[in-house]
Amino acid sequence: MIANGLTDNEAFARLRLIRSQNIGPITFRQLLGRFGSAIKAIEALPELAARGKGRAITLADPKKIENEIEKSLSIDAQLIFLGSDDYPTLLSQMESAPACLIVRGNKDLLQKPMVAIVGARNASAAACRFARTLSYDLKEKGFTVVSGLARGIDTAVHMGAGGGGTAAVIAGGINIVYPPENADLQNDLADKDIVITEETYGTKPIARHFPNRNRIIAGLSMGTVVVEAAPKSGSLITARLSGELGREVMAIPGSPLDPRSRGCNQLIRDGANLVQSADDIAELLTNFTGQVSDGKWQSVSAIQEDWSEDSKAMPDESDRNNLIALLGMTFVSVDELVRQSSLSAANVQMILLELELAGRLERGAGAKVRIVN
């Protein structure tokens, strides 16, 4: 079996769908919402792309998908698809939730309350020691501690909570070790904890993968703690994403004389919670009864696009031309397009889907889109 809760044919089709040209996490979610299965979505792709009047869509090579699945399973990796019971609830609530997580290790850790701890790669020795102690204390309180397996703070976090209390989100393929000096640590985490990625087997981590990794870290977690971070660092991106998701943003204060503390101090100045211990963090993430809060993060359907039978009617050419006329090189919100076009939300989403599959649409942050050719 490739994945729990799915036939092998559907699991294969879902992986092929997300690995195909012009299909990202948002498009994947919409296609499954519209067609009900990846098998049916793949059948419909050529016609949808043709309506977008761009280049023909290139589907992922089935042999490459077979190879990816075979190699992943050979190292005891597991595939967890959006919509399955194993998929982390909080992560599924992100609009851009990964269509498929490839994991090694203990999947049960994904069902525990999770908190992210991130920070500088060139962190001070004191900050690393503090992060290691903090993560251990959170593990003892029943949290899974999430970080990115980078040098510095991330490494300290995984060492502190290792042995049944941490999740490492990596920016390369599940079989790729990065940084090289963390080879033993990554293998230990795969044995006793959990290692997570959305990247294809064998993918080497490059710069554009790290923001994608950061969104997973933020999406998994009830809140994000920043220990040390310079302004404009990747850790602050994770904190910003956490705030945009309505999760708690927390920071450890530091000396104003240390540039590595400026990012944390800036977060606190801008409204982040000042925390100094695992007790502070647990207090923020628990309710008055002392139980981990769940009221703000109710479980939702992972495939929740509103495609009623009436809304599945295809827009006509006039509707398509009118909407395209509203698009330009500047990003505009999908809600604004619905208002100005007088089309139903379902028809607007379908036209945007056709344009994206044809390579004519780019999606930006905050549910915004723009035409690209």
Side-chain angles (χ1 to χ4, degrees), residues 153-167:
I153 295 298
D154 291 15
T155 295
V157 166
H158 295 307
M159 292 176 67
T166 188

Side-chain angles (χ1 to χ4, degrees), residues 207-331:
R208 65 181 174 85
H209 294 160
F210 288 93
N212 291 333
R213 178 205 64 176
N214 293 345
R215 98 183 188 288
I216 298 176
I217 293 172
L220 286 168
S221 308
M222 300 168 69
T224 295
V225 183
V226 185
V227 177
E228 270 187 351
K232 300 182 180 180
S233 68
S235 300
L236 297 191
I237 293 174
T238 308
R240 175 180 58 78
L241 292 170
S242 186
E244 290 175 353
L245 291 168
R247 318 284 170 81
E248 298 289 351
V249 179
M250 298 160 276
I252 308 297
S255 168
L257 301 178
D258 189 340
R260 293 170 293 195
S261 294
R262 289 178 186 167
C264 291
N265 293 342
Q266 176 184 317
L267 284 174
I268 294 168
R269 183 191 65 192
D270 294 341
N273 295 287
L274 188 157
V275 293
Q276 301 178 87
S277 67
D279 287 336
D280 292 342
I281 296 167
E283 182 179 357
L284 282 168
L285 301 180
T286 54
N287 57 31
F288 291 116
T289 67
Q291 300 299 310
V292 173
S293 177
D294 62 2
K296 293 167 64 179
W297 304 290
Q298 295 295 329
S299 177
V300 297
S301 170
I303 307 295
Q304 57 183 347
E305 298 299 328
D306 182 17
W307 294 102
S308 64
E309 287 305 314
D310 289 342
S311 73
K312 290 182 180 180
M314 292 294 182
D316 60 30
E317 194 64 22
S318 175
D319 292 336
R320 194 171 288 107
N321 291 336
N322 288 340
L323 185 67
I324 292 172
L326 294 174
L327 292 166
M329 300 300 292
T330 302
F331 281 109

Side-chain angles (χ1 to χ4, degrees), residues 59-72:
L59 290 168
D61 184 344
K63 291 184 179 179
K64 290 185 178 180
I65 303 303
E66 289 175 5
N67 185 57
E68 178 179 355
I69 292 172
E70 181 180 342
K71 288 186 174 179
S72 297

